[in-house]
Amino acid sequence: PFRLVDTAGLRDGAGKVESIGIEVARRYLATADVVLFCAEAGRPLSEEETEFLNRIESSVIIPVRTKSDLSASTDDLPGEGDSEIRVSAISGEGLGELGERLIEAVFSGVMRNRGEEPLVSRERHARDLRTARSEMEAFCDARSAGRAPEIAATHLRAATQVLEELVGVIATDDLLGRVFSDFCVGK
């Protein structure tokens, strides 16, 4: 999941209340893994925006031109990657690319910081992943040994169940069981 924070209004010379909001926004920026710098398509950056971009210390800045359906201008914003992403909330243009770039930015950051190992934060998660891998290996071994597909598939079902539990998929039967375990159904 991504946590998006709108920091609109970052500027100098704001009033007292707005200054508090700007300080909170700057704290978010200081800890952000990725910054989406958004500016409307078809207009040049203001001096204030250019200064702001130069002060961002985030590891990744993704430049985004909004309202792309209203302008054909392709002026690039400064930032990481090949170029800016042009998006339109009306037409949906660029939203898929933006999602892909976000995932790529975060995933590459994790891999830069962790080497080639996957990020697993809990022992239960590591155990579940080992179990799923073991079940997958058992499936491959069963198929190589010529066992019937129906028999080998039991290992696939077991691996799937472990992975679904790991990512939080809840089966309908489980949901109904949980709901009715706490309910007193009248006679």
Side-chain angles (χ1 to χ4, degrees), residues 89-174:
I90 302 294
S91 71
E93 172 194 354
L95 296 179
E97 182 184 353
L98 178 58
E100 289 173 16
R101 183 89 64 92
L102 273 169
I103 290 169
E104 181 182 297
V106 171
F107 182 72
S108 67
V110 167
M111 295 312 285
R112 264 194 313 273
N113 296 333
R114 303 262 314 152
E116 292 299 317
E117 301 173 23
L119 179 65
V120 179
S121 60
R122 300 188 189 283
E123 177 55 36
R124 180 180 63 83
H125 297 167
R127 185 182 62 244
D128 288 348
L129 289 170
R130 285 190 298 270
T131 300
R133 181 183 208 149
S134 174
E135 290 292 343
M136 292 299 295
E137 289 169 352
F139 168 76
C140 292
D141 292 344
R143 290 303 294 147
S144 295
R147 294 213 169 66
E150 307 82 39
I151 303 297
T154 60
H155 296 291
L156 286 180
R157 279 192 284 283
T160 301
Q161 184 177 3
V162 168
L163 292 173
E164 285 178 343
E165 288 173 12
L166 181 67
V167 298
V169 173
I170 299 174
T172 304
D173 291 342
D174 293 337

Side-chain angles (χ1 to χ4, degrees), residues 56-69:
I56 293 177
E57 296 179 10
S58 173
S59 58
V60 178
I61 300 170
I62 299 175
V64 179
R65 284 290 190 171
T66 62
K67 301 182 181 181
S68 65
D69 55 306

Side-chain angles (χ1 to χ4, degrees), residues 30-77:
T31 60
D33 295 316
V34 179
V35 172
L36 299 178
F37 182 80
C38 301
E40 288 181 23
R43 72 164 180 83
L45 294 183
S46 69
E47 186 177 315
E48 204 169 50
E49 289 171 321
T50 303
E51 285 178 28
F52 170 77
L53 272 173
N54 292 333
R55 287 188 300 205
I56 293 177
E57 296 179 10
S58 173
S59 58
V60 178
I61 300 170
I62 299 175
V64 179
R65 284 290 190 171
T66 62
K67 301 182 181 181
S68 65
D69 55 306
L70 301 179
S71 174
S73 174
T74 59
D75 293 338
D76 280 352
L77 295 171

Side-chain angles (χ1 to χ4, degrees), residues 7-29:
T7 61
L10 288 179
R11 61 187 178 89
D12 296 324
K16 190 170 189 153
V17 174
E18 192 175 357
S19 293
I20 294 169
I22 290 171
E23 181 55 37
V24 170
R26 288 199 171 127
R27 276 190 254 137
Y28 274 120
L29 280 171

